[in-house]
Amino acid sequence: MLLPVALDQTYDYLVPQGPDAEALRPGAFVIVPFGPQRRIGVIWDRPAGEPGKAVDPKKLKSIESVLDAPPLPEMSLRFAEWIARYTLTPLGMVVRMMMSAQSVFEPEKPRFGVRYVADAADPPRMTPARQRILDVACDGMIRIKSALAQEAGCSTGVVDGLVASGNLIEVAVPERKPARLDPAHMHNTFATDQQRAVETLRAAVDAKNFSVSLLDGVTGSGKTEVYFEAVARTLEQGRQALIMLPEIALTSQFMNRFEARFGGAPAEWHSALSSTDRGRIWKWVANGEARVVVGARSALFLPYPDLGLVIVDEEHDQGYKQDDRVHYQARDMAVVRGSLGSFPVILASATPSMESHVNARTGRYRHVVLPGRYSGTELPEITGIDLRVEQPDKGRWLSPRLVEAMAETLQNNQQSLLFLNRRGYAPLTLCRTCGHRIECPQCTAWLVEHRFRNRLHCHHCGFSLPVPEKCPKCGEEGGLVACGPGVERVAEEIAERFPTARLALLSSDLIPSLVEMRQVIKGIENREADIIIGTQMVAKGHHFPDLSLVGVVDGDLGLAQGADPRAGERTFQLLHQVTGRAGRAFAGGRGLVQTYNPDHPVMQAIISGDREAFLEQEIQIRQRGLLPPYGRLAALIVSARDKGLAENVARDVARRAPFSEKIQVLGPAEAPLAIIRGRHRWRLLVKASRELDIQGYIRAWMEAVPPIKGDVRLSIDIDPYSFL
Ligand code: ADP
Ligand code: ZN
């Protein structure tokens, strides 16, 4: 038995006699007593973790009951074990991710609706509200009470009254079913390069064994259309397919294209689902009714009984790495899942990660290339604007050339997009009198001004306070000034410069959920905005047909993260993706990148569009430094409320690292983000060559470390993506 808690071992329980015994197969969910509590457990088919002390059989407790939820398929158990071993996370925590649909484990509530009774006499007292309800209901459809009341504009009490009078009757609402998908719903005609790619991917599906293909094509080359054909083939085989997208890219645009291709909607899996929806979709996947899932990274942990294809779109995206609790990289785990399940995995991107790129070069992955845009239009022309020479006016952020290009674009009746990867109004508030910078009381971070809300926010812990009128340090009134731009400040400048242009501001803090975000995106597609200003939300996968100009307000922003070996790669990807939004449907798109470092290799690569030169150089750096993918990294973070305690434990952990000629342990050093939520943080970095078993090394090391107690926490991050 395995429990979804931070423990790495299975427990033994007695099997009760009776009718339930038959349902007790591996993967089944059961209720068991655990200490003083009762908990949901999963029946595991082999022992995990430390072999526990032999328990006196007389003391063994018994399973209480079997839950009426579909069991986890055996593949899910093996996958969970693999992830736990690889990420050095307790198996129970991994299984908990697989159970992230609480309502699956609760008794199902039958849903009732009401239907019109045609041959009933008029109600004894006919009010206007009652009449409205009957007017709506007389079409004979079954409606949920609240929905009917809402449609008729009255309270559910009125509906109850009509049930009592016999004019409406309560009936069970038929269960919802996923849409039927038809692999032959639409026949696409493909360009030559596309056709070749389609055939390669179809062949990979037909082979019914494990392979990885890197679908590498510029933005607009038709990657989505091409991989849809692999999905279609998988459907024809009768197996399930999963398409993973960064959460932000799960737009209605994508869903519409899917529906157009397959004649029905896929099952969607993302953080905006209600608990009921989560439960429903979890079950659809488990019983095989959901044939295709489109979802964010956690969709990988759904209980597929017969998964036959995983596509990881925008595979380079950082959002695939989860950085809390279980530190996993969903793209890498998708490849693992393919290998366990013997099916093909397709990684798609216009700017593949260095990891995938190197794997394609060495022949471990199949390299499927789409060299040009489907529409035949050229990629936008990218120009650098040297901010040292072409300075914006004082207190402004846009250089004259960028402003001019925007004016032209407006005149031509086309859209422009300004990209700045910084939320809020200003990243720093400074007192002009005493020089005080307003920091978060719980983190090593400045508070960011958000002017729409008139508050200062910490982007690390969520702390906020109203923008103060006086300096909290010297008390001087009116001396506080905002330093540097965030998207809100750029929006302010635009509103002043182009007062009649319609603005759309896309920033995750201003758009509360995926649902609203879809509306905003739709508005932009429909030309309801002339100028779009956004953070990295705008870089992902959108297709805005009328967009012809992309301006990058601060091209250097992502390069400042010194210790992060992926800073260059990531900046290149982000700038390439965001400038690639320009001129997707017609010629003459352009990108203007403002920078103080026009000679930086990343800027050079973006401006020249020479991806290969950039990759070549990056490969050299990685090889020389034994950085991923040529070397392996793991980060250990020790944290505690007490500064001295965190440091002492970190030093003690470091001292106990076993000696190995092939492994370097760097640190401990105080983390760049030294304090988060009041916890002091110290980091250690483990570096090993590619072929070394870094997990085995760390496991042996941790056995030599005394138990971490009290307020201290030690977290291990294999293949870290964050170096803060
Ligand atoms: P990518 O995913 O590589 O950015 P998309 O698949 O989004 O590219 O394709 C870009 C645009 O070109 C989309 O509007 C898509 O519908 C269109 N397109 C691509 N290939 C075809 C095709 N073979 N037939 C019709 N339209 C296509
Ligand atoms: Zn904070």
Side-chain angles (χ1 to χ4, degrees), residues 53-115:
K53 295 183 292 263
V55 182
D56 179 356
K58 276 184 246 130
K59 288 204 182 136
L60 274 183
K61 291 180 187 159
S62 175
I63 291 172
E64 279 184 14
S65 61
V66 183
L67 289 173
D68 182 26
L72 286 178
E74 198 208 330
M75 188 56 72
S76 294
L77 309 190
R78 299 293 83 83
F79 189 36
E81 287 168 349
W82 208 102
I83 296 170
R85 216 169 30 237
Y86 186 88
T87 59
L88 297 175
T89 315
L91 183 56
M93 293 301 283
V94 179
V95 170
R96 196 160 125 158
M97 293 197 303
M98 294 184 165
M99 295 168 57
S100 64
Q102 192 47 44
S103 65
V104 169
F105 309 105
E106 288 157 3
E108 218 163 319
K109 294 181 238 83
R111 299 200 322 151
F112 282 100
V114 289
R115 197 177 56 204

Side-chain angles (χ1 to χ4, degrees), residues 440 442-443 458 460-463:
C440 174
Q442 321 182 69
C443 305
C458 171
H460 298 284
C461 70
F463 172 87

